[in-house]
Amino acid sequence: MNIILFGAPGAGKGTQAKLITEKYGIPQISTGDILRTAVDEGTSMGIEAKKYMNDGKFVPDSIIIGIIKERLSKDDCKKGFILDGFPRTMPQVIALDELMGEMNTKLNKVISLNVPDDLILVRVSGRKVCKNCGTSFHVKFSPPKKENVCDVCGGELYTRKDDNVETVSKRLIEYHSQTVPLFNFYKDEGILVEIDGTRNFNVVTKEIFDILG
Ligand code: ADP
Ligand code: ZN
């Protein structure tokens, strides 16, 4: 099963992708996570990407498409995958389409988690992420049992550099102007499902599992 998850920053893509991974045994491919690892490791790609990420801008398509080509060619993607944070631009959509053709496979479902901007700002401003496993928490809405410690793996929680109101506002502008228009492409293919991402996480998970079957 090959799935794309769309959603603004903080819409819940990462959280839902992790649950899909567990249930269907397919890997979560998050371009944001891959980029953050490159930034932490100080690779040349990381150094380049950091300039854009800290400013709430999209990283250039050439870098992103390179990351995806390499990742999708790994063996664990043969059973399927969940794309979380990719594609975000039209050139990325086209590259993915070509890549799927080469791999002799196709997308099964494209799910968009819809959350209005005002709620996104509230969610992202209290977000804390595990350094080790990437699980997200929220200081008010879903706090960890122990402050700054991940419930899942015991890792340390941190606030992402780009999770502040100013940068999130810029990311939302990018999302609405560049990513939302891509929905039409998948609507035409008849595989887009838009769901209400404002509800409790468990309710959203159940709806996603119902859609995926
Ligand atoms: P979010 O969905 O919360 O904005 P991500 O962790 O998916 O965060 O991405 C963080 C940042 O990484 C983005 O703001 C952007 O700079 C960069 N990025 C991730 N995926 C892509 C992509 N497909 N195209 C361009 N830039 C990307
Ligand atoms: Zn963790």
Side-chain angles (χ1 to χ4, degrees):
M1 182 146 49
N2 304 320
I3 307 160
I4 295 177
L5 273 187
F6 278 126
K13 292 184 303 284
T15 305
Q16 298 299 340
K18 284 199 166 46
L19 297 165
I20 298 172
T21 291
E22 279 167 26
K23 173 153 186 201
Y24 295 90
I26 52 178
Q28 167 192 10
I29 299 175
S30 157
T31 40
D33 286 348
I34 294 171
L35 290 167
R36 276 186 289 279
T37 303
V39 170
D40 285 348
E41 287 173 352
T43 64
S44 57
M45 179 180 84
I47 291 165
E48 178 64 15
K50 193 175 172 181
K51 297 188 228 160
Y52 300 90
M53 295 170 77
N54 285 349
D55 204 22
K57 297 213 176 85
F58 283 171
V59 171
D61 287 331
S62 56
I63 297 180
I64 300 290
I65 292 167
I67 290 175
I68 286 292
K69 277 200 170 140
E70 191 186 320
R71 184 63 187 87
L72 291 185
S73 71
K74 300 223 164 106
D75 270 353
D76 65 338
C77 295
K78 291 218 169 83
K79 283 187 293 180
F81 47 79
I82 314 152
L83 295 171
D84 155 15
F86 175 93
R88 290 194 203 209
T89 64
M90 201 57 207
Q92 293 179 20
V93 166
I94 294 166
L96 177 63
D97 206 46
E98 283 171 8
L99 208 57
M100 302 288 285
E102 285 165 24
M103 292 167 73
N104 243 324
T105 181
K106 61 181 181 55
L107 289 167
N108 300 89
K109 281 276 181 274
V110 174
I111 298 176
S112 167
L113 300 176
N114 295 347
V115 178
D117 288 1
D118 52 352
L119 181 56
I120 288 294
L121 287 169
V122 174
R123 281 193 186 174
V124 178
S125 7
R127 174 154 77 175
K128 293 247 181 176
V129 186
C130 174
K131 260 194 180 140
N132 182 46
C133 74
T135 299
S136 286
F137 297 85
H138 189 283
V139 287
K140 257 208 240 123
F141 306 137
S142 53
K145 290 198 185 82
K146 202 171 152 210
E147 205 184 329
N148 288 326
V149 178
C150 175
D151 288 356
V152 179
C153 76
E156 187 192 336
L157 304 185
Y158 78 110
T159 300
R160 272 168 49 176
K161 255 217 174 80
D162 57 353
D163 277 354
N164 56 73
V165 172
E166 197 199 341
T167 313
V168 174
S169 303
K170 288 192 199 159
R171 281 151 69 201
L172 283 170
I173 293 171
E174 290 267 66
Y175 185 71
H176 289 294
S177 65
Q178 301 209 55
T179 307
V180 173
L182 309 178
F183 291 8
N184 288 323
F185 182 89
Y186 298 111
K187 226 181 246 168
D188 289 346
E189 293 196 347
I191 53 173
L192 179 77
V193 187
E194 295 188 70
I195 66 180
D196 174 4
T198 64
R199 298 163 303 165
N200 186 293
F201 275 120
N202 304 326
V203 179
V204 175
T205 307
K206 189 178 176 306
E207 187 166 348
I208 293 176
F209 287 174
D210 284 347
I211 291 164
L212 298 178

